[in-house]
Amino acid sequence: MGKLCLRSQIKTRFLLVARWIERFSNEREPLEDNPRGGRPIMAIIQANIDAVKDMATVPDDDPNSITVMFRNTHNHKYRAETTRLPSPVRQSVSKYVHIGLTESQICSSLLLDHPSLSVPSTKLTSLVKTERRKNRPKIFSVFDFCQWCNDHQDGAVPHSTFVPFYFINDIDDLFVLFTTKELIRQIQYSPLLQIDATYKLTWNELPLGVFGTPDCNRNFRPFGVAPVSEDESSSCYEHLFNSLRSLSIQQFHQPYLPKFIMADGALGITSAQQKIFPNVTRLMCWFHMMQKCHSHRNLLSKQQWSQVDKEIHAVQLSFSDDVFNHGINLLMNKWRTEPSLANFCDYFNEQWVEKLRYWYEGSALNLPSTNNGCESFNATIKRQYTL
């Protein structure tokens, strides 16, 4: 063992001498070492200096007699600063995510639990998403998904998940109706059914059909949701309408006969409504209708569009079918007298007079003229419940 240590020392010293010979051969004169970066600047910050002084004592300023005191626990007083939220806050967020609170509810709870701490909304959002990912279920196979749906077909508890109808042929060819028995009871009381499909919610990016009705304060009340096939074809909505009809008979012993169905201009919804509910009035969301018209304003000059926009808004206030028919005829005749409006007039007549004409107030008096409640509900799902 001694021989090995001696050889190691001889080898180290030989390399050191060889290195200095090489330097002097290159006309080096100073005997000092080259400057080196040394330890990072964070190693000699005042907090570390104070920590070392706290552990080491020099009695009577004698450098030959130094006592070093070791602790069995960390000194958190000198812990490096971090941008993470404090541990108590993180623990509270983890607890609230685990019991299913929304982000806004978690924020309100943190104000009560930690009134002296400020929690930035961006950090809270990031932390909530991280905690939700920890508890998300494993990716289902088609068989597992079918089994799960089959296990929830009873809906024994009023507010528990109820899957009355479903089919899952493949991950891109499915229809699953999610609701609760308490929610689905509402279909008996409203003449209006609002429908919309939203995206970027599911892991395989399937559209999620959301359907419900507004209350007397025009707040959207969902009946349920249904993941549908990727192409969002009419067959998806036919399954939905047939499911609602069958469910109404099974649960309430009466047919489901809404008077109005409101949606955007999706052709699949219109086709399914004409097939399953031919006597129901297909309402067009006023907001989406104007959005589409606005996208065709390039057919007009800026000044022409300003005037056309006012005229469309005036016709939208028609309080009966007769008033609308008379007003829209006058408007079409006026536009046709101006050659520069011909292209826009043809588009408007085909789309909003012949195909989807029920976008005026009188088409469904005392009911909302837009699908904004449903759209707002979709935004809430994305903001508070998705990962």
Side-chain angles (χ1 to χ4, degrees), residues 88-89 92 107-119:
V89 174
S92 297
C107 184
S108 300
S109 300
L110 291 178
L111 291 176
L112 298 175
D113 294 347
H114 311 283
S116 61
L117 296 178
S118 175
V119 181

Side-chain angles (χ1 to χ4, degrees), residues 149-165:
C149 292
N150 189 60
D151 293 340
H152 289 78
Q153 281 198 298
D154 295 333
V157 182
H159 294 285
S160 64
T161 305
F162 179 34
V163 184
F165 300 101

Side-chain angles (χ1 to χ4, degrees), residues 87-244:
S87 296
V89 174
R90 299 178 67 86
Q91 292 170 1
S92 297
V93 170
S94 178
K95 177 182 67 175
Y96 292 137
V97 168
H98 183 71
I99 62 177
L101 296 189
T102 65
E103 184 175 332
S104 59
Q105 291 171 332
I106 292 173
C107 184
S108 300
S109 300
L110 291 178
L111 291 176
L112 298 175
D113 294 347
H114 311 283
S116 61
L117 296 178
S118 175
V119 181
S121 59
T122 54
K123 291 185 178 181
L124 178 60
T125 299
S126 177
L127 181 56
V128 168
K129 289 181 178 180
T130 300
E131 292 296 331
R132 283 177 177 166
R133 289 192 185 101
K134 293 179 182 178
N135 299 322
R136 70 182 181 185
K138 296 180 179 179
I139 296 176
F140 288 106
S141 67
V142 171
F143 174 80
D144 292 334
F145 196 14
C146 288
Q147 187 62 47
W148 184 91
C149 292
N150 189 60
D151 293 340
H152 289 78
Q153 281 198 298
D154 295 333
V157 182
H159 294 285
S160 64
T161 305
F162 179 34
V163 184
F165 300 101
Y166 73 93
F167 73 84
I168 306 173
N169 297 326
D170 194 3
I171 196 63
D172 295 323
D173 181 18
L174 55 81
F175 171 82
V176 184
L177 176 59
F178 294 100
T179 184
T180 70
K181 288 193 173 180
E182 191 65 27
L183 286 178
I184 207 63
R185 287 179 59 249
Q186 311 303 319
I187 65 174
Q188 306 173 84
Y189 309 122
S190 176
L192 173 62
L193 176 64
Q194 290 182 315
I195 308 173
D196 188 41
T198 187
Y199 297 82
K200 299 181 180 179
L201 292 179
T202 60
W203 295 334
N204 54 351
E205 299 185 354
L206 291 179
L208 182 72
V210 179
F211 54 98
T213 193
D215 60 16
C216 59
N217 294 319
R218 301 201 173 193
N219 296 316
F220 182 73
R221 302 300 179 185
F223 295 155
V225 297
V228 297
S229 297
E230 186 174 4
D231 57 359
E232 203 183 339
S233 62
S234 62
S235 62
C236 302
Y237 297 102
E238 289 176 22
H239 288 305
L240 174 60
F241 295 155
N242 283 326
S243 298
L244 292 178

